[in-house]
Amino acid sequence: MLILLGAFLVLAAASVVRTTAGFGFSLVAVPPLALLIDPASAVVVAGIMAAPLSLWIAVRDWRYVDRRLMTATLLSGLAGVPFGVWLLDTLSSRVLLFVITGVVLLGTFIVWRKITLGGGLKTVMAVGLFSGASFAATGIDGPPMVAAFQSMKLEPRVQRATLGVVFSGTSLAALAGFGISGRLTATVGQMLLVGVPALFIGIFAGEKVFHRLNAERFRRVVLGLLVVSSLSVVLRVAAA
């Protein structure tokens, strides 16, 4: 019961972050979920839960999507998904925890330092390839993509909408991969049962936050959550 309650709180908080910022669901959700259930199931749950959130943002803000950037990034992201599914199916739980730790720490550093990546569309496509693989293997894809997008000086709503479409595509592709590889287990099903109401609560609260919270203040809040997530995974790895 405590595990289900913990999962509900984690997924609700992650939903608020994703709805508000357009990224960060799995970055916030995967580390604490990996403390509650096995790491591979945590990745699958976060990946499945992220899909409807991305679709919601993509449909709601479709008119703001940068079509050229979306097409290039989505295609490269989809190309990376099969490799990520293979890694998830191949790595042991301990090794997967180390990989998740590394990706979480990288994401935290990117958000903290406000890193941008130059190089234009080619860089964005390369990062898209990495993010697609990372999402399928660890459930985490947002920070590198945000760093690449920020270098293109997009308006916040355009960035959020375009990321929503890209992440929708990679999420659905990863879901298909999870099904084929037999990762849709009973544990995943239990987590999804508590995750659905958490998802709707997070969407409602996230939309309120998006229109009221100062962007810089929100960035600091997300950074704080990422630091806590990073520390939790480091402790888990050290104890494993």
Side-chain angles (χ1 to χ4, degrees):
M1 185 64 184
L2 288 178
I3 291 177
L4 294 178
L5 177 60
F8 175 85
L9 295 175
V10 167
L11 293 170
S15 178
V16 170
V17 171
R18 182 60 174 265
T19 304
T20 305
F23 76 99
F25 181 88
S26 296
L27 196 61
V28 172
V30 171
L33 281 180
L35 300 177
L36 298 172
I37 56 179
D38 66 281
S41 293
V43 170
V44 174
V45 170
I48 294 173
M49 293 298 300
L53 273 171
S54 297
L55 286 169
W56 164 260
I57 293 170
V59 172
R60 179 183 176 87
D61 293 340
W62 174 255
R63 62 186 180 279
Y64 298 104
V65 172
D66 184 312
R67 307 297 201 274
R68 177 170 172 268
L69 184 59
M70 174 202 71
T71 301
T73 310
L74 180 57
L75 291 176
S76 60
L78 291 175
V81 168
F83 178 65
V85 172
W86 176 79
L87 285 177
L88 182 65
D89 201 42
T90 303
L91 299 179
S92 67
S93 293
R94 182 174 175 82
V95 174
L96 184 59
L97 274 175
F98 276 106
V99 174
I100 291 173
T101 300
V103 176
V104 171
L105 291 174
L106 173 63
T108 303
F109 182 75
I110 288 173
V111 176
W112 172 43
R113 299 298 298 174
K114 297 183 181 178
I115 292 176
T116 60
L117 301 176
L121 196 59
K122 290 183 179 179
T123 298
V124 170
M125 291 181 68
V127 173
L129 185 68
F130 169 80
S131 294
S134 176
F135 179 77
T138 69
I140 299 167
D141 55 359
M145 287 301 306
V146 171
F149 273 37
Q150 284 178 345
S151 67
M152 307 189 79
K153 309 299 182 183
L154 300 174
E155 295 180 5
R157 189 173 288 274
V158 172
Q159 175 174 300
R160 187 176 80 151
T162 307
L163 285 173
V165 176
V166 173
F167 293 155
S168 294
T170 54
S171 295
L172 294 174
L175 176 57
F178 297 151
I180 293 171
S181 62
R183 288 292 179 182
L184 303 180
T185 63
T187 298
V188 171
Q190 290 179 336
M191 294 297 104
L192 293 179
L193 284 177
V194 300
V196 171
L199 179 73
F200 285 106
I201 291 173
I203 289 174
F204 177 79
E207 288 295 339
K208 297 292 184 182
V209 171
F210 182 72
H211 293 291
R212 295 183 181 181
L213 190 63
N214 175 272
E216 177 59 25
R217 187 177 302 169
F218 180 73
R219 189 189 71 85
R220 293 175 183 174
V221 171
V222 173
L223 178 58
L225 290 173
L226 299 185
V227 169
V228 172
S229 294
S230 300
L231 291 175
S232 69
V233 176
V234 169
L235 292 173
R236 170 70 179 268
V237 172

